Amino acid sequence: MSCSDHTLLHSQSENGHDIAVDIERSELYCCSCSDQVYDLDFDKVVVAKNIVDMPSKTRDSVVDDLMRRSSKRRRLNSVVDLDLIRSKFFVWMRGRRAKSCYPLGLRGLNNLGSTCFMNSILQALLHAPPFRNYFLSERHDRETCRKRSSDQSCLACDIGVIFSAVYSGDRTPYSPAQFLYSWWQHSANLASYEQQDAHEFFISVLDAIHEREGKERNPNKDNGDCQCIAHRVFSGMLRSDLTCTTCGFTSTTYDPCVDISLNMDTSSFSSVDVANKSVRPNEDTGRSTLLACLDLFTRPERLGSDQKLYCQNCQEKRDTLKQMSIKRLPLVLSLHIKRFEHSSLRRTSRKIDWHLQFPFSLDMTPYLSPSIVRNRFGNRIFGFESDEADISAEFEIFAVVTHSGMLDSGHYVTYLRLQNQWYKCDDAWITEVDERIVRASQCYMIFYVQRMLYYKANEDLSCAPMPSRRDPFVPIAGCC
C-alpha cells in the first residue's frame, strides 16, 4: 500500500506489477496498468464489510446469497477503454480539483461485484431534478412505509437512504449494499453476482417503485394516470396509428411508457454475424445521429404480409401502415439506444458499436403527435387534446450512460452534466471531463429533462453540505 500522490512511481522502480489498495474506494489498483484490478476473495471481504450495518434479520441471508453467487468480473478491452486508463492515470499524475468543491450530490458508488450497471443508473436517478427533489423533501416517508409493511423490502425506502447519504456532504464513496439486496428481492430473475443490463435494471427499479407507491396512491388507475413518483417523472404517452392502405381507415391506440427505445439503422451490415461478437462498421457507415433515430422511430412502417390487420371499415384483413408518435412528453425523457441485438433464429448476438451524435439541447416538437399527423395529411387542421401543450418540448441533457467493451464483458460509466460542467462517474471515481469526451462516448441511455427544470436545478445546486434533512433546500454559502 502507498499514498495516492506517488503510487505510480513504485511501479517504475521495480520490475513486475505492483498492486495498491485504495482504502477510500475499497479497490485494488495496478500501478503498471494504471487501472483497477479485481480479485474474488478481496471482493467478498469488501461486500461482507458493506453489509455489517444492515439489520441483523437480513444480514445472514445477504451473506449467504452473495457467497453463493459466482463472480463474473468485467475484463476491459485495452483498445476500447483507453479513455478509462488515461483518465485514471490523469487522476494520479495531476493535481485534482478539491472534491469538496464539486457540486453537492457528486459522490462515488463502490462496485460490489460487477455492479457498474447499477451504479451508472443510480447516478442518473440521483441527479434527475424532479426525482431528486421528491426524495430530498422526504415525500416518501420511510418510517410510515416500514410500519405499513414491515416484512417486505421497499426499494423506494432504500433509494431514499441513498439520497440522504449522497447529499449529506460526505465525499467518500458510498456502498449501496442494502439497495442491491432489496433489488434482488424484487427482481429474482436478475439476481446474480454477474453483470446485468443497465436498461433492464432501470425499468425494474421504476416498476418496483410503482408497485409500492402506485397501489397506495391510486389503486384503481392505470399507469397512464398513476401518481407515483416513478410515473410522474418518467412516464409519457405514445400514440400508435394503424392505417389501412386500401381505404385509409385509421385506428389509434395510446400506451404509457417510461422510456423510448430507439433503433439504429443497421441496413448496411453484412448478413454474416459472429455470435457474441461486437460489430465494428467502417467510418462511412458507422455513424448515426439521435435525430435520425427519432426520425426512424416516427417514420411510417409498412407491416409485412404476414402481419395484415383487420380493418373495421373493409371488414377484412388488409395491408397496414404503422406510425408511432409521442402524445405526451414526460418531465424526464429517457432514451434507450438499442446496441444489443439477439437473433433466436440464427442463435447469434451482437453489439452495435456505431458512434451516435446527440445534442445537448433537444426540441421534441417534430416528434409529437400533432406534428406527425399534420405532416401526414398536409395543411389540414386537426383538433388535438390539450395535454400535449401542458409540458414543454424543449429539453436539456443531464446524464449519459455509456457502455464500453464487448457484448458479454463490458463496463458502464455515467457522465453527469451539472452547472454546465461534465463529470465522469466510474463507480467510486468522480472526475471532471471535457464535453468532447462525452460526445465521443458510446452512449447507451441518454437522459434529458425539461429545460426550465434543468436551469432551476442548477440554481439549487451547492457545493456545501446540506444543513439538515428537515430543510434540504436552505441555501448555504458555497466553498468555491
Side-chain angles (χ1 to χ4, degrees):
M1 292 185 292
S2 64
C3 65
S4 60
D5 292 336
H6 62 280
T7 302
L8 291 179
L9 297 180
H10 289 278
S11 64
Q12 300 172 4
S13 61
E14 298 179 7
N15 295 329
H17 291 232
D18 289 344
I19 304 298
V21 178
D22 189 326
I23 301 299
E24 283 190 356
R25 298 173 174 81
S26 302
E27 294 178 345
L28 297 178
Y29 183 84
C30 179
C31 305
S32 299
C33 300
S34 299
D35 196 9
Q36 298 162 268
V37 293
Y38 300 93
D39 178 78
L40 176 60
D41 294 330
F42 182 81
D43 282 342
K44 288 182 178 180
V45 173
V46 171
V47 173
K49 173 63 175 65
N50 287 328
I51 62 177
V52 167
D53 296 330
M54 286 185 180
S56 57
K57 61 185 281 187
T58 62
R59 186 182 305 152
D60 294 339
S61 59
V62 176
V63 174
D64 292 340
D65 283 346
L66 289 175
M67 296 309 177
R68 278 200 309 267
R69 303 179 193 280
S70 62
S71 175
K72 182 181 179 182
R73 303 315 303 249
R74 59 185 172 91
R75 298 292 185 267
L76 296 182
N77 182 280
S78 58
V79 176
V80 175
D81 296 294
L82 282 178
D83 169 57
L84 176 65
I85 296 175
R86 288 170 181 165
S87 65
K88 293 187 176 178
F89 186 85
F90 177 82
V91 168
W92 291 105
M93 297 301 292
R94 204 192 89 171
R96 291 178 294 175
R97 182 185 178 190
K99 290 182 186 178
S100 60
C101 289
Y102 280 176
L104 183 65
L106 267 183
R107 186 176 183 182
L109 300 175
N110 286 322
N111 192 311
L112 304 179
S114 296
T115 57
C116 58
F117 71 94
M118 175 183 72
N119 292 343
S120 61
I121 294 299
L122 283 179
Q123 290 288 8
L125 293 177
L126 287 168
H127 294 89
F131 197 73
R132 177 202 67 184
N133 296 344
Y134 176 85
F135 281 97
L136 289 184
S137 58
E138 297 185 340
R139 298 288 298 280
H140 181 85
D141 191 332
R142 296 197 293 270
E143 296 301 325
T144 303
C145 186
R146 290 192 182 109
K147 291 179 182 178
R148 189 177 296 124
S149 54
S150 57
D151 297 331
Q152 186 178 2
S153 61
C154 174
L155 222 57
C157 288
D158 294 325
I159 289 180
V161 172
I162 298 177
F163 267 99
S164 298
V166 167
Y167 285 89
S168 67
D170 187 351
R171 301 296 180 176
T172 58
Y174 178 77
S175 297
Q178 176 63 57
F179 175 85
L180 176 62
Y181 179 68
S182 296
W183 178 67
W184 279 349
Q185 298 288 89
H186 175 265
S187 304
N189 60 316
L190 299 176
S192 68
Y193 198 51
E194 297 181 354
Q195 183 71 274
Q196 301 293 339
D197 181 79
H199 177 246
E200 289 184 7
F201 173 76
F202 171 73
I203 297 299
S204 68
V205 169
L206 295 189
D207 285 345
I209 295 175
H210 166 69
E211 286 183 9
R212 174 56 64 92
E213 287 201 344
K215 293 179 181 179
E216 296 174 358
R217 292 176 179 270
N218 39 279
N220 298 322
K221 294 183 179 179
D222 58 22
N223 292 354
D225 297 320
C226 179
Q227 293 302 305
C228 76
I229 186 58
H231 287 105
R232 284 167 56 194
V233 173
F234 294 97
S235 180
M237 187 74 68
L238 295 179
R239 168 174 171 157
S240 175
D241 292 328
L242 298 175
T243 303
C244 174
T245 59
T246 301
C247 69
F249 177 81
T250 299
S251 173
T252 301
T253 57
Y254 300 96
D255 294 298
C257 65
V258 294
D259 73 329
I260 299 178
S261 293
L262 302 175
N263 285 307
M264 301 179 76
D265 186 4
T266 60
S267 59
S268 60
F269 281 134
S270 169
S271 59
V272 179
D273 294 318
V274 181
N276 296 319
K277 295 297 183 180
S278 175
V279 175
R280 300 180 181 278
N282 58 49
E283 290 186 356
D284 295 332
T285 60
R287 298 178 184 274
S288 185
T289 67
L290 181 63
L291 298 184
C293 293
L294 289 168
D295 288 338
L296 182 63
F297 178 77
T298 55
R299 185 183 306 166
E301 173 191 5
R302 180 179 292 272
L303 301 182
S305 57
D306 59 337
Q307 296 178 295
K308 289 185 177 181
L309 299 178
Y310 182 81
C311 175
Q312 298 180 19
N313 188 50
C314 298
Q315 297 293 306
E316 62 178 296
K317 288 187 176 182
R318 296 290 194 184
D319 290 331
T320 305
L321 282 177
K322 179 180 179 180
Q323 187 169 27
M324 301 294 298
S325 60
I326 302 173
K327 180 179 185 289
R328 186 181 70 240
L329 288 165
L331 297 178
V332 173
L333 177 65
S334 55
L335 302 177
H336 164 232
I337 310 303
K338 294 182 180 179
R339 289 193 177 273
F340 305 116
E341 291 188 350
H342 307 279
S343 173
S344 57
L345 181 61
R346 298 185 301 185
R347 297 181 180 179
T348 60
S349 300
R350 67 182 185 181
K351 180 191 173 187
I352 305 173
D353 277 338
W354 284 29
H355 175 251
L356 183 72
Q357 297 176 356
F358 52 90
F360 289 177
S361 298
L362 178 64
D363 184 0
M364 291 294 291
T365 302
Y367 314 105
L368 295 179
S369 298
S371 300
I372 295 297
V373 175
R374 288 192 177 97
N375 288 338
R376 186 195 312 163
F377 293 99
N379 293 325
R380 301 178 190 176
I381 299 177
F382 293 88
F384 292 93
E385 297 85 348
S386 59
D387 56 353
E388 287 93 345
D390 293 340
I391 296 181
S392 171
E394 296 183 336
F395 287 78
E396 290 290 326
I397 196 170
F398 72 92
V400 179
V401 175
T402 69
H403 181 273
S404 59
M406 306 298 287
L407 178 67
D408 56 353
S409 59
H411 184 51
Y412 290 100
V413 168
T414 296
Y415 293 97
L416 295 175
R417 184 188 180 201
L418 305 175
Q419 297 176 335
N420 288 322
Q421 171 63 50
W422 284 96
Y423 299 90
K424 181 179 181 180
C425 302
D426 183 0
D427 289 332
W429 298 76
I430 305 291
T431 54
E432 286 187 7
V433 295
D434 187 84
E435 71 173 50
R436 291 175 296 178
I437 294 178
V438 181
R439 293 188 185 277
S441 64
Q442 201 168 97
C443 58
Y444 182 56
M445 293 189 71
I446 310 175
F447 293 86
Y448 291 88
V449 65
Q450 282 188 36
R451 180 169 296 172
M452 180 183 64
L453 295 177
Y454 174 79
Y455 289 121
K456 180 63 171 64
N458 282 338
E459 294 174 1
D460 292 339
L461 284 175
S462 169
C463 58
M466 283 193 333
S468 71
R469 289 177 53 201
R470 293 185 179 180
D471 194 9
F473 299 112
V474 173
I476 300 180
C479 60
C480 54

